């Protein structure tokens, strides 16, 4: 049988337990106040089309490859900023809500379609051979997509290449030339502004691809 505390010791232990509980509650409150809430960002929104956007001359259906090659450093949920000559710094408590490898092809296809209307653009699916529409596959590779400090703000750099392949098209069909783009988008040193620059860079890349077709 467990011995009971004497009446003189019981109030002392109760005061000790109360003080420990109060201290733990205070520490938990400090941790909550000192830790900023995590914010999620995505390639969302519909930026206005560039005023100088050109419709291109290719009227065939385009099928964007479902995978856009990205640098391995973008296989993470943090928003990254270059630091020094070779360093990378994740933006505090800012995260991508969706992997860029999943979001980029979908958003790029949407922007290509907006720029090319009424000519069709689809993602991943091959055009049916009996639909009578000549179609081309578009393959895109991103070599750099990273922000760097500049002055009091940031500059997001996007370097990308693209090439074409026939899908439902006659043998020896003429293809648009392969191309490349280097874009630089300045923005303020804020996570909201950086995420918006990422979204706008996709639209500008789509405009370059369409104009070169």
């Amino acid at each position: 049988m467990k011995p009971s505390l004497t009446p003189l010791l019981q109030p002392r232990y109760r005061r000790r337990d109360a003080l420990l509980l109060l201290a733990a509650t205070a520490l938990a409150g400090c941790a909550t106040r000192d830790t900023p809430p995590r914010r999620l960002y995505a390639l969302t929104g519909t930026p206005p089309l560039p005023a100088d956007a050109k419709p291109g001359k290719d009227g065939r259906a385009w099928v964007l490859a479902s995978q856009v090659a990205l640098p391995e450093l973008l296989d993470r949920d943090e928003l990254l900023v270059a630091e020094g000559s070779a360093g990378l710094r994740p933006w505090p408590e800012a995260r991508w809500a969706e992997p860029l490898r999943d979001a980029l092809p979908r958003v790029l296809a949407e922007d290509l379609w907006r720029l090319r209307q009424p000519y069709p653009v689809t993602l991943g699916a091959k055009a049916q051979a009996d639909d009578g529409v000549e179609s081309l596959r578009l393959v895109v590779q991103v070599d750099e997509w990273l922000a760097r400090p500049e002055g009091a703000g940031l500059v997001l750099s996007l370097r990308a290449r693209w090439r074409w392949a026939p899908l439902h098209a006659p043998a020896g069909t003429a293809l648009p030339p392969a191309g490349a783009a280097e874009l630089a988008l300045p923005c303020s040193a804020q996570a909201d502004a950086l995420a918006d620059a990422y979204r706008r860079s996709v639209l500008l890349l789509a405009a370059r691809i369409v104009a070169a077709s």
Side-chain angles (χ1 to χ4, degrees):
M1 179 176 178
K2 185 177 178 180
S4 60
L5 297 174
T6 64
L8 291 178
L9 290 179
Q10 287 178 352
R12 182 184 305 173
Y13 278 88
R14 284 198 292 268
R15 287 195 299 271
R16 184 201 64 180
D17 292 343
L19 290 174
L20 290 174
L21 179 60
L22 181 62
T25 303
L27 288 174
C30 291
T32 302
R33 289 192 299 270
D34 294 341
T35 302
R38 175 174 294 187
R39 298 195 63 181
L40 299 178
Y41 295 90
L43 296 180
T44 56
T46 307
L49 299 180
D52 58 350
K54 299 178 181 179
K57 299 178 180 180
D58 191 274
R60 292 169 287 191
W62 289 2
V63 179
L64 175 63
S66 58
Q67 298 295 321
V68 174
L70 289 175
E72 289 187 5
L73 64 87
L74 295 178
D75 278 336
R76 61 188 68 238
D77 62 353
E78 295 98 344
L79 277 72
L80 297 176
V81 175
E83 189 172 53
S85 60
L88 294 172
R89 172 173 55 87
W91 201 276
E93 299 304 320
R95 300 291 185 270
W96 290 115
E98 179 183 17
L100 291 177
R101 290 189 183 277
D102 297 336
L104 176 57
R106 184 185 69 252
V107 175
L108 180 58
E110 292 171 357
D111 286 344
L112 289 169
W113 179 81
R114 292 172 59 207
L115 289 157
R116 297 193 75 230
Q117 293 187 56
Y119 304 120
V121 177
T122 56
L123 176 63
K126 181 177 179 180
Q128 296 297 320
D130 58 354
D131 61 7
V133 177
E134 186 175 336
S135 59
L136 304 177
R137 180 177 295 280
L138 172 60
V139 180
V140 178
Q141 174 175 332
V142 172
D143 298 316
E144 180 185 6
W145 206 12
L146 186 63
R148 291 179 171 79
E150 184 169 302
L154 301 170
V155 172
L156 176 66
S157 297
L158 171 60
R159 292 189 297 108
R161 295 174 283 166
W162 61 88
R163 58 183 175 83
W164 303 88
L167 276 179
H168 177 46
T173 186
L175 299 176
E182 294 190 12
L183 306 171
L185 285 77
C187 65
S188 61
Q190 298 175 344
D192 291 29
L194 179 55
D196 178 68
Y198 269 93
R199 177 62 186 90
R200 290 185 290 115
S201 71
V202 178
L203 176 60
L204 294 179
L205 174 59
R208 293 287 186 91
I209 294 173
V210 171
S213 65

